[in-house]
């Protein structure tokens, strides 16, 4: 992408994120990844009068190849973490999510914006205040609910007991101290009580497996009891899921993680055909998707910090909060949360 265009996008992002004169903003990168983003953010922040600098960590050494959530190059570097805690805002070009270091930086009051997706996607799903409003309306509904029930024509019928864990929203920018967000994003989520998820989830063809970055072709049937997956059945995808989960050798990987729905009318369900190698934020955000996930709940303050994490956005589901529909057959059911399609 043209560097001037990228700088303008980062300027818009930093304005939405409330960056102003005199603020201290650190751009965090590693190796030679996304150095063009780092330059663009530095130039944009400078134009807003912020005190900018770039913290660049070495490229990580090769690992076993599995995507290791929550392991970052900061873990062995407390001085670097301390510097990040002193900033008003950190622009994370590494993907720190689920790391202890990220939590410590947020706890110090530093807000964090992650930007790792391909630049054309950042451009197409530029955050807006209107989208934030619709996401926050969703979060208000979710905050008040005691139960969430998800159903589908394919046989999904699962109930999450809510109220234990906080509700989170992601809308692609962050202007509040200590708050994290991810550009691009537009969804709300919470988590069920540790022993409070029961039922069956049936993945249908076209549902999305992240981080595999692939679409389901044959149904996958999850049986869930007391917050844990007891059984996974189906065809090829079920075997791939089981094989992947087994590599973590961690029974907590079968716990139930965050759950919620997406609200970005500009995000495409077929997004993986455009950006097969990204983080899948477009898939997490597409309008009317219901996303459940498996594994850790430490992001919500829970005890499960397993590294085995799958996010699974599903199409054409219905989602009810205390019997009130939020999503019906893949469409947003609450007027204030809806986008008006022309
Ligand atoms: Fe997730």
């Amino acid at each position: 992408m043209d560097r001037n265009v990228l700088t303008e996008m980062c300027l818009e992002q930093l304005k939405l994120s409330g960056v102003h004169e005199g603020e201290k903003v650190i751009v965090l990168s590693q190796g030679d990844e996304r150095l063009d983003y780092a330059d663009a953010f530095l130039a944009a922040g400078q134009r807003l009068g912020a005190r900018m600098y770039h913290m660049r960590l070495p490229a990580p050494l090769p690992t076993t190849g599995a995507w290791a959530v929550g392991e970052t190059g900061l873990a062995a570097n407390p001085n670097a973490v301390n510097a990040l805690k002193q900033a008003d805002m950190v622009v994370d070009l590494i993907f720190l999510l689920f790391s202890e270091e990220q939590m410590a930086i947020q706890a110090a009051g530093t807000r964090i914006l992650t930007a790792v997706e391909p630049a054309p996607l950042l451009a197409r799903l530029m955050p807006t205040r209107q989208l934030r409003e619709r996401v926050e309306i969703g979060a208000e509904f979710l905050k008040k609910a005691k139960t969430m029930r998800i159903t589908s024509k394919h046989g999904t019928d699962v109930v999450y007991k809510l109220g234990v864990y906080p509700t989170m929203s992601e809308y692609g920018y962050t202007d509040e101290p200590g708050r994290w967000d991810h550009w691009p994003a537009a969804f709300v989520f919470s988590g069920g009580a540790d022993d409070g998820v029961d039922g069956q989830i049936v993945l249908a063809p076209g549902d999305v497996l992240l981080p595999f970055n692939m679409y389901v072709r044959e149904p996958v049937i999850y049986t869930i009891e007391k917050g844990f997956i007891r059984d996974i059945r189906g065809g090829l995808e079920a075997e791939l899921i089981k094989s992947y989960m087994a590599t973590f050798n961690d029974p907590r990987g079968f716990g139930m993680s965050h759950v919620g729905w997406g609200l970005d009318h500009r995000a495409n369900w077929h997004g993986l055909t455009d950006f097969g190698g990204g983080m899948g934020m477009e898939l997490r955000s597409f309008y009317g998707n219901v996303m459940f996930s498996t594994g850790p709940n430490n992001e919500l303050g829970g005890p499960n910090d397993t590294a085995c994490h799958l996010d699974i956005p599903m199409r054409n589901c219905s989602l009810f909060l205390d019997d009130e529909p939020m999503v019906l057959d893949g469409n947003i059911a609450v007027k204030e949360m809806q986008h008006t399609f022309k």
Side-chain angles (χ1 to χ4, degrees):
M1 177 170 288
D2 178 81
R3 57 157 57 196
N4 293 314
V5 175
L6 191 56
T7 301
E8 290 305 317
M9 284 160 49
C10 292
L11 183 64
E12 176 68 16
Q13 165 60 247
L14 292 182
K15 281 183 189 167
L16 284 167
S17 289
V19 171
H20 55 81
E21 188 158 4
E23 269 206 319
K24 184 169 158 186
V25 180
I26 303 178
V27 179
L28 175 66
S29 73
Q30 76 183 2
D32 58 4
E33 286 171 20
R34 303 182 191 90
L35 293 178
D36 51 341
Y37 290 24
D39 285 342
F41 272 110
L42 290 169
Q46 193 177 37
R47 274 165 61 184
L48 293 170
R51 290 177 291 149
M52 306 294 301
Y53 76 84
H54 183 184
M55 179 187 288
R56 183 175 170 189
L57 301 177
L61 297 169
T63 58
T64 51
W67 183 52
V69 176
E71 287 169 26
T72 78
L74 285 177
N77 206 335
N79 289 331
V81 176
N82 278 333
L84 295 168
K85 284 182 184 172
Q86 307 291 318
D88 296 298
M89 178 168 173
V90 170
V91 177
D92 161 29
L93 305 180
I94 296 178
F95 195 68
L96 294 177
L97 187 59
F98 299 125
S99 65
E100 277 179 37
E101 295 73 39
Q102 167 161 350
M103 288 177 201
I105 294 162
Q106 284 179 254
T110 304
R111 62 192 192 277
I112 303 179
L113 179 83
T114 298
V116 293
E117 287 282 29
L121 187 63
L122 300 183
R124 190 154 57 75
L125 302 183
M126 191 72 195
T128 69
R129 292 194 172 86
Q130 294 86 333
L131 188 55
R132 173 187 184 167
E133 242 169 67
R134 293 198 287 109
V135 168
E136 288 189 329
I137 289 166
E140 285 307 312
F141 278 104
L142 185 49
K143 231 176 252 175
K144 286 182 268 177
K146 299 277 182 293
T147 63
M148 177 190 292
R149 182 175 177 204
I150 301 167
T151 62
S152 80
K153 291 192 171 79
H154 298 277
T156 294
D157 194 348
V158 64
V159 176
Y160 286 72
K161 277 188 202 137
L162 303 176
V164 175
Y165 293 116
T167 291
M168 316 271 280
S169 55
E170 291 185 28
Y171 44 80
Y173 65 96
T174 186
D175 60 1
E176 294 160 18
R179 187 178 175 280
W180 169 79
D181 212 314
H182 196 164
W183 175 22
F187 51 88
V188 292
F189 61 95
S190 186
D194 291 351
D195 62 351
V197 187
D198 289 274
Q200 176 172 279
I201 295 176
V202 182
L203 306 187
D207 292 344
V208 186
L209 297 175
L210 303 171
F212 298 176
N213 287 0
M214 61 186 272
Y215 296 101
V216 170
R217 289 165 191 255
E218 294 175 80
V220 179
I221 304 167
Y222 287 85
T223 306
I224 301 145
E225 288 169 12
K226 294 188 180 354
F228 275 83
I229 297 163
R230 306 295 171 184
D231 187 46
I232 302 172
R233 270 174 299 139
L236 173 64
E237 289 82 13
E239 295 306 314
L240 286 169
I241 292 166
K242 286 195 280 190
S243 173
Y244 176 76
M245 291 174 85
T247 60
F248 291 86
N249 197 20
D250 183 352
R252 300 173 309 156
F254 292 82
M256 296 302 283
S257 183
H258 55 88
V259 62
W261 65 94
L263 286 158
D264 195 338
H265 53 286
R266 305 163 304 175
N268 293 323
W269 160 69
H270 67 265
L272 288 178
T273 60
D274 286 340
F275 299 113
M279 295 289 305
M281 291 307 287
E282 181 165 29
L283 287 306
R284 291 177 177 85
S285 301
F286 76 82
Y287 192 77
N289 88 73
V290 169
M291 178 167 70
F292 85 105
S293 59
T294 62
N297 65 3
N298 58 327
E299 183 195 9
L300 293 160
N304 189 344
D305 66 351
T306 180
C308 178
H309 185 43
L310 285 125
D311 279 353
I312 305 177
M314 301 182 289
R315 292 190 301 166
N316 307 321
C317 288
S318 298
L319 184 150
F320 304 85
L321 296 177
D322 300 333
D323 299 328
E324 186 180 355
M326 296 290 116
V327 183
L328 282 175
D329 298 329
N331 284 306
I332 300 297
V334 178
K335 196 167 184 309
E336 306 90 294
M337 250 193 306
Q338 284 170 347
H339 170 73
T340 317
F341 290 95
K342 298 236 165 62

